[in-house]
Amino acid sequence: MIEPDKILEELSIIHIGIRLSIYNKERIVEFSDRLINREEDPDILFIDISFASQNKNELIETLGSFVASNRTQVDTEKLLSIIQFLFSNDQLNLESTVMLLYKLNNEFEFPETINNEIHRLDDQYHLVSNKHVEQTIEELNKELKYFLDSHIKENLKLTILNNETTYNTM
């Protein structure tokens, strides 16, 4: 049986990704539906997700309630490691990654050095994309990759956000 608290970080990223329109809701809904059909006693969260599948706002609220009630258990290093995986496997582009990092940083307590680096990357992204500095998108992409690569967690096992996942990457 898949327990939601074991995949809390993935659910947190999906929740914020749907809110930001980086991700579409189909992946989590399909996952929940398959789980309901496969398991004898699926967790109520997955049943609620399935019921909320027709309404994006209801789905956001369902995921948001679960994430909020488990906020203190979120492993911020695992969040960064998942984002690193998604970015490295071209499931997120530069803009989506920076947006997601910024939002996660506002919602969870990252260590101060990581918090500062995320704010710097966000500021730099806006400066580069608006051509206010000479740095290129490619150079910023390398900086982001370097930052994320420093947060790789060995033996990262993803349940929902695996290699087969495709999302809106703006």
Side-chain angles (χ1 to χ4, degrees):
M1 180 170 149
I2 295 179
E3 298 173 29
D5 59 327
K6 301 290 188 220
I7 57 172
L8 177 59
E9 290 78 11
E10 285 184 83
L11 293 171
S12 300
I13 289 171
I14 290 168
H15 171 245
I16 291 174
I18 291 172
R19 283 180 22 215
L20 295 174
S21 296
I22 293 171
Y23 297 156
N24 58 43
K25 62 186 172 102
E26 281 71 30
R27 182 65 178 181
I28 184 66
V29 171
E30 288 171 10
F31 174 82
S32 296
D33 289 345
R34 278 194 317 270
L35 193 74
I36 291 166
N37 290 329
R38 186 179 69 221
E39 292 190 359
E40 191 172 305
D41 187 26
D43 190 273
I44 189 70
L45 176 66
F46 300 115
I47 295 168
D48 290 345
I49 288 170
S50 187
F51 280 130
S53 65
Q54 299 302 313
N55 185 321
K56 180 180 174 182
N57 291 330
E58 192 177 328
L59 179 61
I60 289 170
E61 186 177 319
T62 299
L63 283 168
S65 293
F66 175 76
V67 170
S69 65
N70 292 284
R71 183 172 311 282
T72 58
Q73 298 173 26
V74 171
D75 177 349
T76 55
E77 280 297 317
K78 188 172 181 183
L79 283 175
L80 292 174
S81 192
I82 293 169
I83 296 206
Q84 184 279 335
F85 172 84
L86 297 172
F87 182 71
S88 296
N89 287 289
D90 297 323
Q91 293 183 32
L92 290 173
N93 63 18
L94 175 67
E95 180 182 18
S96 298
T97 304
V98 170
M99 285 174 43
L100 196 53
L101 282 170
Y102 186 81
K103 198 66 167 165
L104 287 167
N105 191 38
N106 287 338
E107 296 200 16
F108 299 100
E109 289 189 33
F110 284 93
E112 186 176 356
T113 55
I114 293 173
N115 178 353
N116 293 340
E117 184 62 13
I118 289 172
H119 280 287
R120 189 195 69 72
L121 287 165
D122 181 66
D123 290 344
Q124 197 64 20
Y125 173 76
H126 292 289
L127 291 171
V128 170
S129 62
N130 291 312
K131 299 184 186 329
H132 293 301
V133 294
E134 291 187 26
Q135 184 180 23
T136 65
I137 290 288
E138 292 76 25
E139 291 168 334
L140 184 57
N141 227 341
K142 287 179 186 174
E143 278 185 50
L144 179 60
K145 181 179 176 350
Y146 178 78
F147 167 72
L148 292 172
D149 284 351
S150 68
H151 297 283
I152 293 175
K153 214 172 196 173
E154 296 299 318
N155 302 320
L156 179 67
K157 183 178 181 325
L158 299 177
T159 303
I160 305 170
L161 297 171
N162 54 35
N163 260 340
E164 301 160 12
T165 310
T166 55
Y167 290 108
N168 305 331
T169 52
M170 301 174 83

